[in-house]
Amino acid sequence: MKKSIKKFGVPLTAIAVLLVMIAWMAGLFREQIEPGVNIPATSNPADAVAVRLAEVTIIESVPASVEATQATIISSRLMARIVTVNVRAGDVVNRGELLLELENSDIKAQVQQAEAHVRATSARLREASQTLARVKELQEGGVMSVADLDKAVANHESLLADMAAADQALEEARTALTYTEITAPFDGRVVDRFAEPGDTAQPGSKLLALYNPLSLRVEAQVREHLALGLEVGQALQVEIPSLDKVVDAVIEERVPAADPGSRSFLVKAGVAFDKDLLPGMYARLLVPSGTEKQLLIPADRVVHVGQLDLIWVLQDGHSNRRFVRIGRLVDDGQVEVLAGVAAGEMVLPVPQEN
C-alpha cells in the first residue's frame, strides 16, 4: 500500500504544482476586469478631445530621380597626348577655368608657319601693289601696253587672294591651338574624370563630366490620371529618403506626350539649391491625388502594445479602454483612426501609472 502511494503520489504532486503555476501565469490569482467594464477616469475629463472628422488631401508618392538640367561631357576636338588634368571628381570649377592641357608643340609650329606665310605673302602683295602703280603710270604715258597693265592687275588680285587665304590659315591654326587648352564651359562641379596625363585624347572621347549644382531638378514618370491635373508653375513637395528631407519644388515642364508602355507623363520639377543634393539620387514626388474624409485624434493619445493600439474614451464620466486601428500620421500631430471610434467621441489622455 505504501509503495502504491509513493508510486502515484510524486507524479500527482508534480501535476498539481504544474496546474497551480499555469493558473498563476493565467492571472487567476489576480483581480480581473471583464472586457467592456468601465473604470473611473484617471484623467481630467476636461482634457478630453473630440474625434474630429476632417477632409484631408491624399498624397501619392511617385518614384523620381534627381537630374541636372545643365550637364555636359567634356571631350577633345583634337587627337593629342594629355599633358595635365587639373581637376578631379567633386571639384568645383568656374566658367573659363583651365581643366586639361593637351600637347601643342606641333600646333604651335603650324601657327608659326602660318604667320611666316602671311608675312611672305604680305611682302609680295606690297611689291605687286607698287608694280601695278608704276605700270598704270607708264601705260598712261604710252610707254607700257594695255596687256602689261592687265598682267600687273591680275598678279595683284592673285596676291590679294593669297593674302586672304594666308590670314584664314593663320586663324585656323590659332583656333586649333586654343583646343589644346580645355576650359570649363560654365560654373559647376566635376562629376567624374575619365582620363589621366599621358593618355591620348581622341576627338569626341570622354575626358570629364561636369554639371551645374544650381540647375538640379526632379524628374518623375507620373501616371496619366495624376499628370493631366498638374500645371507648369504648380508647387509640390519632394521627399529625399537618403537625406531624410522634404524640399519644395515647382513644376517646370510636363512632356506633352505619354509613354505608351507605362501610360505615364514625364514631369520635371525644379528644386532649390542644396549642397547635399546630388544628381542620380532617389526621390519621391508628392503629388495630390484628391481628398478623403478621415477620423483624426492626437497621436500622443494612442498607446501601442505589441501590434495593438489602445485609446481611452470618456463615456458617462468613466474611462473606457478601446482597441482601435490606426492609419497614417498627419503632419500636425494627428493620426488617422480607421476603426474603433466614431466622430464626436471624447478621447482622454493616456492614464499615468501610479
Side-chain angles (χ1 to χ4, degrees):
M1 184 68 179
K2 291 182 180 181
K3 290 183 179 180
S4 299
I5 294 175
K6 289 182 180 180
K7 181 177 180 180
F8 296 103
V10 174
L12 292 175
T13 302
I15 293 173
V17 171
L18 180 60
L19 292 174
V20 171
M21 292 178 62
I22 293 173
W24 178 81
M25 294 176 65
L28 296 180
F29 301 108
R30 296 191 294 270
E31 182 181 359
Q32 302 294 311
I33 299 178
E34 296 181 7
V37 174
N38 294 336
I39 58 175
T42 57
S43 302
N44 187 352
D47 295 332
V49 296
V51 178
R52 181 165 58 94
L53 181 63
E55 188 173 289
V56 298
T57 302
I58 304 172
I59 300 297
E60 184 168 326
S61 178
V62 181
S65 62
V66 180
E67 303 292 344
T69 306
Q70 193 174 21
T72 187
I73 299 295
I74 304 295
S75 60
S76 173
R77 299 182 65 172
L78 305 172
M79 186 176 69
R81 186 176 62 86
I82 299 174
V83 178
T84 59
V85 182
N86 299 324
V87 294
R88 290 197 172 274
D91 289 351
V92 176
V93 298
N94 298 318
R95 178 184 176 90
E97 183 176 339
L98 182 62
L99 303 178
L100 296 99
E101 289 183 277
L102 305 178
E103 188 176 26
N104 58 10
S105 56
D106 55 341
I107 299 180
K108 282 184 176 180
Q110 293 175 12
V111 171
Q112 292 173 356
Q113 291 175 3
E115 290 174 344
H117 184 57
V118 167
R119 290 194 298 269
T121 305
S122 178
R124 296 203 311 272
L125 180 59
R126 286 195 302 270
E127 181 183 5
S129 298
Q130 294 171 359
T131 301
L132 178 59
R134 286 195 298 269
V135 170
K136 283 183 178 180
E137 183 180 352
L138 293 174
Q139 196 273 336
E140 291 174 357
V143 178
M144 301 290 291
S145 65
V146 176
D148 293 331
L149 177 60
D150 291 341
K151 183 177 179 181
V153 170
N155 184 50
H156 182 264
E157 291 180 352
S158 176
L159 287 173
L160 283 175
D162 289 345
M163 188 66 197
D167 288 337
Q168 185 63 36
L170 176 59
E171 184 64 25
E172 290 178 358
R174 286 174 175 171
T175 301
L177 184 61
T178 64
Y179 295 158
T180 64
E181 294 184 349
I182 301 176
T183 59
F186 51 77
D187 296 341
R189 190 175 187 182
V190 179
V191 179
D192 204 354
R193 169 172 163 167
F194 305 105
E196 298 295 333
D199 294 346
T200 298
Q202 300 287 341
S205 62
K206 296 190 297 183
L207 301 177
L208 295 170
L210 192 69
Y211 79 97
N212 186 354
L214 299 178
S215 67
L216 295 182
R217 67 184 178 192
V218 171
E219 298 183 4
Q221 290 286 350
V222 182
R223 60 186 179 90
E224 60 183 31
H225 178 72
L226 286 182
L228 293 177
L230 299 178
E231 298 179 355
V232 174
Q234 181 177 344
L236 297 177
Q237 287 190 314
V238 175
E239 181 183 3
I240 312 296
S242 59
L243 301 179
D244 194 22
K245 286 184 179 180
V246 176
V247 299
D248 295 328
V250 177
I251 296 178
E252 296 179 343
E253 182 183 349
R254 188 192 70 188
V255 175
D259 182 353
S262 61
R263 304 301 179 188
S264 61
F265 288 83
L266 178 61
V267 175
K268 304 175 183 179
V271 296
F273 170 72
D274 188 319
K275 63 181 180 62
D276 297 324
L277 206 58
L278 300 173
M281 276 187 167
Y282 175 72
R284 298 190 187 103
L285 188 63
L286 306 181
V287 182
S289 60
T291 60
E292 67 177 4
K293 294 187 181 297
Q294 293 181 345
L295 294 175
L296 301 178
I297 62 174
D300 59 2
R301 303 204 173 192
V302 181
V303 174
H304 307 285
V305 181
Q307 297 182 350
L308 302 177
D309 299 312
L310 300 174
I311 62 172
W312 278 260
V313 179
L314 182 65
Q315 289 182 332
D316 300 327
H318 289 76
S319 175
N320 184 22
R321 185 178 59 181
R322 188 86 59 85
F323 290 99
V324 293
R325 186 154 57 94
I326 299 300
R328 297 188 297 267
L329 184 67
V330 184
D331 291 339
D332 58 356
Q334 303 286 306
V335 67
E336 178 188 11
V337 182
L338 301 177
V341 292
E345 289 193 283
M346 306 301 292
V347 180
L348 291 165
V350 177
Q352 301 296 320
E353 296 182 1
N354 296 328

